[in-house]
Amino acid sequence: PMLRRRFEQMGVGLDIVPSPRDGSYQVARLARVAELMKSLPRAFFTNQYHNPANALGYRRLAEDLSARLGRID
């Protein structure tokens, strides 16, 4: 709730999927994204689930965890 209020104060519109679809919130979110992409022609979807560059965003976190925790298997 606190983060949601902060976003709203900044003028960010949030579209929250209220329930799962076929037992999965991810399926529900992707279905909603597909709807939004059709209705918003200038929209851009980063597609984090199938974007090979997505993992690079976690590189620093992984390096930090590895340095702090040691060997991770």
Side-chain angles (χ1 to χ4, degrees):
M2 187 174 170
L3 186 56
R4 181 187 286 185
R5 280 194 300 274
R6 178 81 189 256
F7 280 139
E8 290 170 350
Q9 289 170 346
M10 293 187 301
V12 174
L14 296 176
D15 196 308
I16 299 172
V17 176
S19 57
R21 183 175 189 174
D22 299 329
S24 168
Y25 277 97
Q26 182 171 333
V27 169
R29 287 191 300 269
L30 290 173
R32 181 63 181 137
V33 167
E35 292 171 3
L36 290 169
M37 293 300 292
K38 287 179 184 175
S39 66
L40 302 168
R42 296 185 61 179
F44 177 75
F45 174 42
T46 59
N47 197 0
Q48 68 188 38
Y49 306 109
H50 295 99
N51 183 343
N54 185 56
L56 296 175
Y58 296 95
R59 183 177 181 160
R60 290 179 92 186
L61 174 63
E63 290 170 349
D64 186 43
L65 288 172
S66 180
R68 290 172 187 247
L69 299 174
R71 186 176 186 282
I72 301 172
D73 62 8

